[in-house]
Amino acid sequence: LKEIHEQAAVSAELLHWLESAQTVTPILERIQKARHLYLVGCGTSYHACLAGAVYFGSIAGRPAVPVLAPQFIAQYAPALSPKDVGIFVSQSGETKDVLNAIEAARRSGMTIYGLVNVIGSTLTQISERWLPLVCGYEISVPATKTFTNQVIAFLYLALHMGNVPPSSLARLPELMEQTLEKVEPQISLLEQYFTESRDMYGLGYGSTYPIALEGALKLKEVTYIHCEGMLSTEFKHGPLSAVDEGYPIIFIAGPEDVPLIVSGVNEVTCRGARAIVIAEENRQIRSNATNMITLPPAGSLFLPVTSIIPLQLLSYRLSVARGYD
Ligand code: BG6
């Protein structure tokens, strides 16, 4: 809970650091010339890679391949070349799966960059260049503040690469603070619907797809409830058949995706599911969802950063409510 509440402060630290960093420009120049750009990580760090790929593609017009570290070896190692760049993402900088992927990358001669929290870790020692996450110690194994800073670092790089002035990022720390204040009381009202659940889904689309996966991981890791994250449009291709009375499904909706998410909501509520939608205030969502968790208005650019906060809090509250230390 302490680390969840530190997120706004460490995001300000990161933005401040990035503004004066000498390493950002050479990294961006190299990425721009790369044949392929791979974003590689495990667990939460991989979910940040997914969000980074959405930002690089949609803001900077730079396709990026997000990939889980062990699969990077199996799928891409034979195809890598010195023309490629990999950004290896890790809170600890010590995750063996990530270090193994770097070993394979090294043999190909590709450029290796790191995005890492622990300075002095193996990842900082074996990367050509690295960017720090500037989060301070993260004691909790389920990552929170390092995830949001990983996502913000990718957003910063994508905005620069897309020649979009990153000045709008200055309001992000305050927005994160407002999000915490706004969602905390809403989560306490809703947690009663989940305490007995054994199984649930988190669904997102576009930039909230990685958030659905990350929210599901947080829920599994600290509440021991099985929760599966999925692209919302995939839900009708099979999993929909598992839905019955009261089945909890959390949707995360961007302002541009409202019609799509509402149609997904209706598909599950007509089978009796409880559809909880995390979104900015919206009349259409409010009248179709079973419950809504309202975010402060922020626009689609910042949505991955704000929308993970209620899912982190929900994981924490449910864990306490279920009696886990
Ligand atoms: C796992 C943790 O073991 O490692 C996850 O349970 C974490 O929470 C993952 O995201 C990756 O860790 P790191 O340090 O490489 O970001």
Side-chain angles (χ1 to χ4, degrees):
L1 187 64
K2 171 184 167 287
E3 289 174 357
I4 290 171
H5 278 269
E6 281 172 358
Q7 290 178 107
V10 298
S11 72
E13 295 280 333
L14 174 69
L15 291 170
H16 181 69
W17 188 91
L18 287 168
E19 274 308 303
S20 52
Q22 308 288 314
T23 22
V24 172
T25 309
I27 288 178
L28 285 173
E29 283 170 358
R30 177 67 190 91
I31 289 176
Q32 243 143 1
K33 287 192 231 125
R35 183 185 69 151
H36 296 306
L37 172 63
Y38 297 95
L39 311 179
V40 186
C42 294
T44 293
S45 296
Y46 166 66
H47 297 150
C49 293
L50 289 171
V54 174
Y55 281 143
F56 278 126
S58 62
I59 301 170
R62 163 81 246 194
V65 183
V67 55
L68 286 161
Q71 188 68 4
F72 173 76
I73 303 171
Q75 191 165 323
Y76 296 113
L80 300 173
S81 98
K83 295 179 192 151
D84 299 328
V85 173
I87 303 180
F88 294 83
V89 183
S90 173
Q91 185 288 125
S92 59
E94 299 295 350
T95 299
K96 190 72 171 84
D97 286 341
V98 175
L99 300 182
N100 288 346
I102 295 177
E103 203 35 58
R106 255 181 3 170
R107 284 195 289 271
S108 75
M110 75 186 277
T111 301
I112 295 162
Y113 292 145
L115 182 58
V116 54
N117 194 41
V118 179
I119 298 172
S121 61
T122 308
L123 179 51
T124 62
Q125 290 166 32
I126 60 179
S127 307
E128 224 164 279
R129 294 177 189 276
W130 50 273
L131 296 174
L133 292 167
V134 203
C135 290
Y137 286 114
E138 190 171 59
I139 308 293
S140 168
V141 170
T144 52
K145 58 179 179 172
T146 52
F147 174 72
T148 40
N149 268 13
Q150 286 165 347
V151 174
I152 292 167
F154 277 133
L155 174 58
Y156 184 92
L157 295 176
L159 289 171
H160 266 278
M161 205 184 288
N163 292 319
V164 184
S167 52
S168 59
L169 286 175
R171 64 183 279 253
L172 198 48
E174 200 192 329
L175 190 61
M176 291 168 83
E177 205 67 75
Q178 287 168 1
T179 306
L180 262 168
E181 276 170 33
K182 197 173 170 73
V183 301
E184 236 169 354
Q186 301 182 67
I187 297 292
S188 6
L189 289 175
L190 284 179
E191 66 181 68
Q192 54 175 308
Y193 299 118
F194 299 97
T195 38
E196 299 304 317
S197 304
R198 293 173 53 97
D199 194 23
M200 55 205 255
Y201 274 90
L203 305 180
Y205 177 81
S207 70
T208 65
Y209 164 56
I211 302 309
L213 266 56
E214 173 57 12
L217 179 63
K218 284 292 89 84
L219 281 155
K220 279 185 285 241
E221 207 166 12
V222 300
T223 72
Y224 314 143
I225 298 171
H226 172 250
C227 182
E228 198 173 327
M230 188 175 273
L231 192 72
S232 62
T233 52
E234 280 295 289
F235 195 70
K236 61 183 172 294
H237 299 301
L240 184 58
S241 52
V243 170
D244 58 9
E245 210 56 38
Y247 194 100
I249 303 174
I250 302 174
F251 290 83
I252 310 116
E256 281 117 48
D257 311 323
V258 171
L260 186 86
I261 295 291
V262 165
S263 132
V265 164
N266 291 331
E267 265 166 12
V268 302
T269 48
C270 72
R271 287 162 169 82
R274 173 173 291 278
I276 299 104
V277 184
I278 299 173
E280 291 176 19
E281 187 54 59
N282 178 286
R283 209 162 30 90
Q284 221 191 333
I285 292 179
R286 195 162 282 286
S287 56
N288 286 275
T290 321
N291 303 100
M292 198 178 164
I293 299 174
T294 317
L295 298 169
S300 48
L301 199 61
F302 298 145
L303 192 66
V305 180
T306 57
S307 60
I308 191 59
I309 293 174
L311 292 163
Q312 295 168 341
L313 279 172
L314 181 66
S315 306
Y316 168 76
R317 299 281 308 201
L318 284 184
S319 167
V320 174
R322 287 160 69 94
Y324 303 131
D325 182 346

